[in-house]
Amino acid sequence: DPIAPIDPGEAEDFLRQCYLENPRLGPVEPRLAIVRAQIAATGSYVHTTEELSYGAKMAWRNSSRCIGRLYWRSLVVLDRRRARTADEIFSLLVHHLQAAGGGQEGGKIRPVISIFAAAQPGQPYAKLWNEQLVRYAGYRRDGDVVGDPRQADFTAAMEGFGWRGKGDAFDILPLAVEVPGEPVRLYELPERAVLEVPVTHPEFGWFAELGLRWHAVPAISNMRLTIGGVNYPLAPFNGWYMGSEIGARNFADADRYNLLPTVAERMGLDTSSESTLWRDRALVELNRAVLWSFEKAGVRISDHHTESQRFMSHLRNEEKAGRQVPADWTWIVPPISGGITPVFHRYYAEMDLRPNFYPNEHACPYAQN
Amino acid sequence: DPIAPIDPGEAEDFLRQCYLENPRLGPVEPRLAIVRAQIAATGSYVHTTEELSYGAKMAWRNSSRCIGRLYWRSLVVLDRRRARTADEIFSLLVHHLQAAGGGQEGGKIRPVISIFAAAQPGQPYAKLWNEQLVRYAGYRRDGDVVGDPRQADFTAAMEGFGWRGKGDAFDILPLAVEVPGEPVRLYELPERAVLEVPVTHPEFGWFAELGLRWHAVPAISNMRLTIGGVNYPLAPFNGWYMGSEIGARNFADADRYNLLPTVAERMGLDTSSESTLWRDRALVELNRAVLWSFEKAGVRISDHHTESQRFMSHLRNEEKAGRQVPADWTWIVPPISGGITPVFHRYYAEMDLRPNFYPNEHACPYAQN
Ligand code: HEM
Ligand code: HEM
């Protein structure tokens, strides 16, 4: 519950660890005294810029589902705690996409988090209804869906508020910002804020005819960041894409774009029996196309082999630092060719360490999963 | 510990469930009285043929790592509890392979288990050192291994006992049988007992030149079967292969036959960068070759899509029967194309139900993993 009172023990644990890992911040005891007094007086406390920044990095480091944690120290933390109006929030979200390298002229994607105001005990807080800053609409049409079926409920909700998309397979959804005491407001992302990559294939000319594209930046906006007992319900973050997220899930899942049958047909594969492995063959080509297209467009992306190797390095680094790495095997192992990635061949500690990110169940009345 | 005293509670739990699921066995109470008396008098008890048979099926049904459980009722149970000498045991193992359809003239693979004598509290018991009935030797040669590296220790041990293999990549290991009070004895499997499939590719003619082959039957022989508190340390069982066990693990793992670089080179793939997905492409072709070759040879095998669908049916069946299905996601999801199999998209109950199979740590002084 993001608006529960602050747990002083969690605050203390965080501060001790933060100051221990960052000797340049000085001794923790004086800071603890201040924080205790703040909590006693106000029910909460305010992070310094440095605590906020390092806390966000720790939250990434503790994200047991994330394979991309090697570069956790490099997270760019944008302190947006003073933004209050929907207009302010929207314009800072646009800024986030550009800072992340995900706008027009971009491509050099950097991990960024924008941290908006902390929830105050018992108080309402600003919400973004979208699950990611950039997502494609899904329109229900005669029992089928045009676009991303995962967004069909959300899209219908936006239409209920008067939004009208073009009705194509890759229409960017508006951002739905709701600040306390006001009705939700919808904002169109400006073109300059959204870099997209048309998906073609290194060998199959017909691939371009499928008309596929994807956005450059995965910016998750429906998770609550918690640092030392303080909850930040609006704290969108992004890394760069691992190709399989697009090629093996968004494009391939039967309840998403479901492209394997189409690709297999175009490839002329024998789909009369599963044992021809036509699905697997189409899947690999779909993933090649994604990686190749992003690389050609100069948009940072990585493949699941490279990210797996990086994660192995991360495990070694953290072991050297004397820290355990909480990890969820079922999320870490990529959805394609799992067995030939090094992350497959071991088990991991499953622990719920804080700071961390948690699903923001209350953020959106039209949640996508 | 296979030679611990019998737990009468476990015996009772098993018998109640067994008789409940099999009304034709009659009321359980009289049987319970007999078993309690047997345990009190001898420290153990003896399963009826029907208890043994149904108990083995339940053990399969409870194997949380096994995707192949849809056909658990069809398990053929061979009661070998009276075999005592190494010669007897060996000849019954040969019979097992033939009954499973894995001998020459075979191909119609059936799930079979051979159950040898139960361990008696405090007593030594017969052991088979091999992890599977059919496995290929691995010979250490100048820092490299010819054959299956997983069997290198075991192979060296066999050589220590005077065994000499041809030194090829697919030499079938001898069976090492150890009965109480006697030194271990080595037996060569006769040709008629071992069906093998040469691996070729539906399109790549050069594939045959790699000289690959694999045996028809995976018969695991290093697990202890436990039924109602009684331990059967020697109870080898087999199903048919799911192709990915061979194509995505035995042939592909870097510490097994490690064939991806070879296949990729023959395919002429660009291996200069991971993002060309050359590993994934070679992996799919390796798996196509395995499935195609087994099918062409008339040896039963199944692909990971089909087994995943069967497992989904199994989940539905068991739900209808009011039973939970213990399952380990990390083993159930296939090592290739995980995300596009239906088993990927849900979680499972993780429970340790009995009867079941457990690793037999003490069986082999040269354990393979
Ligand atoms: C730098 C490049 C990054 C890569 C390649 C990467 C990769 C991934 C992948 C592949 C997943 C699984 C996604 C899925 O299957 O839906 C994931 C999940 C996750 N990542 Fe990362 N990540 C990166 C950066 C970040 C950053 C900057 C953060 C936070 C500051 C983060 C936090 C998370 C969290 C919380 C999840 C779990 C999401 C959920 O539960 O739905 N990651 N990451
Ligand atoms: C009928 C066809 C069968 C298929 C397709 C099948 C499939 C599989 C697969 C793919 C695995 C994972 C193997 C690995 O990754 O190493 C597995 C594991 C297992 N299966 Fe099955 N299976 C079958 C029959 C059986 C039978 C007859 C039994 C026992 C009576 C059985 C018991 C087990 C057990 C205990 C494991 C775990 C082995 C371990 O822990 O190493 N399976 N099965």
Side-chain angles (χ1 to χ4, degrees), chain A residues 56 60 63 65-69 71 75 111-113 220 223 237-242 245 249 302 307 331 356-357:
Chain A
W60 183 9
S63 293
R65 294 172 160 187
C66 180
I67 194 174
R69 286 177 275 168
Y71 303 119
L75 183 65
V112 174
I113 186 167
I220 298 186
M223 296 189 88
F237 59 83
N238 74 277
W240 48 81
Y241 262 117
M242 180 163 89
E245 297 179 72
R249 302 296 315 275
S302 62
E307 284 301 335
W331 280 66
N356 215 325
F357 297 96

Side-chain angles (χ1 to χ4, degrees), chain B residues 60 63 65-66 223 237-240 242 245 307 331 357:
Chain B
W60 183 10
S63 292
R65 295 171 160 187
C66 181
M223 295 188 88
F237 59 83
N238 74 277
W240 49 82
M242 180 163 89
E245 296 180 73
E307 284 302 336
W331 281 67
F357 297 96

Side-chain angles (χ1 to χ4, degrees), chain A residues 19 26 86 133:
Chain A
Y19 282 67
L133 297 186

Side-chain angles (χ1 to χ4, degrees), chain B residues 297-312:
Chain B
V299 175
R300 181 160 196 181
I301 192 163
S302 62
D303 63 80
H304 48 286
H305 304 290
T306 303
E307 284 302 336
S308 295
Q309 285 160 9
R310 287 185 183 146
F311 189 68
M312 300 309 286

Side-chain angles (χ1 to χ4, degrees), chain A residues 2-145:
Chain A
I3 57 169
I6 301 280
D7 173 355
E10 205 175 316
E12 177 167 343
D13 287 348
F14 161 66
L15 291 168
R16 286 194 184 283
Q17 200 181 347
C18 177
Y19 282 67
L20 185 72
E21 294 187 23
N22 296 280
R24 67 186 173 77
L25 297 183
V28 71
E29 293 300 341
R31 176 65 179 142
L32 279 178
I34 293 170
V35 166
R36 277 190 208 109
Q38 268 192 16
I39 296 177
T42 70
S44 185
Y45 70 106
V46 180
H47 288 129
T48 66
T49 309
E50 275 162 325
E51 288 162 4
L52 187 75
S53 176
Y54 199 72
K57 292 174 186 180
M58 288 170 74
W60 183 9
R61 191 176 80 193
N62 288 335
S63 293
S64 49
R65 294 172 160 187
C66 180
I67 194 174
R69 286 177 275 168
L70 177 61
Y71 303 119
W72 65 272
R73 287 181 185 280
S74 74
L75 183 65
V76 174
V77 181
L78 301 177
D79 181 352
R80 304 312 196 190
R81 288 178 290 178
R82 273 173 306 184
R84 284 289 171 279
T85 68
D87 284 356
E88 276 174 318
I89 291 172
F90 167 68
S91 87
L92 291 170
L93 294 174
V94 169
H95 188 278
H96 179 124
L97 288 171
Q98 292 176 312
Q104 301 291 332
E105 321 283 305
K108 201 170 160 293
I109 314 294
R110 295 184 306 166
V112 174
I113 186 167
S114 294
I115 306 179
F116 290 88
Q120 296 303 323
Q123 302 287 314
Y125 50 85
K127 295 174 182 181
L128 179 70
W129 288 8
N130 305 63
E131 69 161 8
Q132 292 199 13
L133 297 186
V134 185
R135 290 269 99 166
Y136 297 116
Y139 307 94
R140 291 207 177 81
R141 299 270 186 274
D142 335 304
D144 210 355
V145 176

Side-chain angles (χ1 to χ4, degrees), chain B residues 83-100:
Chain B
R84 285 289 172 276
T85 68
D87 283 358
E88 276 173 319
I89 290 172
F90 168 68
S91 87
L92 291 170
L93 294 175
V94 168
H95 188 276
H96 179 123
L97 287 171
Q98 290 176 314

Side-chain angles (χ1 to χ4, degrees), chain A residues 65 203 248-249 252-253 255 260 273-281 283-285 287-288 291-292 295 303-306 309 328-331 333-340 344-345 347, chain B residues 65 203 248-249 252-253 255 260 273-281 283-285 287-288 291-292 295 303-306 309 328-331 333-340 344-345 347:
Chain A
R65 294 172 160 187
E203 287 153 27
R249 302 296 315 275
D253 278 1
D255 57 2
L260 296 182
S273 148
E274 290 292 349
S275 72
T276 64
L277 302 190
W278 63 269
R279 290 183 200 275
D280 311 71
R281 293 173 75 186
L283 180 67
V284 172
E285 299 309 331
N287 279 276
R288 281 179 73 200
L291 290 167
W292 191 75
E295 288 177 3
D303 62 81
H304 49 287
H305 303 290
T306 302
Q309 284 159 11
D328 178 338
W329 198 98
T330 67
W331 280 66
V333 171
I336 171 173
S337 307
I340 61 170
F344 182 96
H345 301 274
Y347 287 113
Chain B
R65 295 171 160 187
E203 286 152 28
R249 304 295 314 274
D253 278 0
D255 58 1
L260 296 181
S273 149
E274 290 292 350
S275 71
T276 64
L277 301 190
W278 63 268
R279 291 185 200 273
D280 310 70
R281 295 173 74 187
L283 181 66
V284 172
E285 298 309 330
N287 280 276
R288 281 179 74 198
L291 291 166
W292 191 75
E295 287 177 3
D303 63 80
H304 48 286
H305 304 290
T306 303
Q309 285 160 9
D328 178 338
W329 197 99
T330 68
W331 281 67
V333 171
I336 172 173
S337 306
I340 61 170
F344 182 96
H345 300 274
Y347 288 112

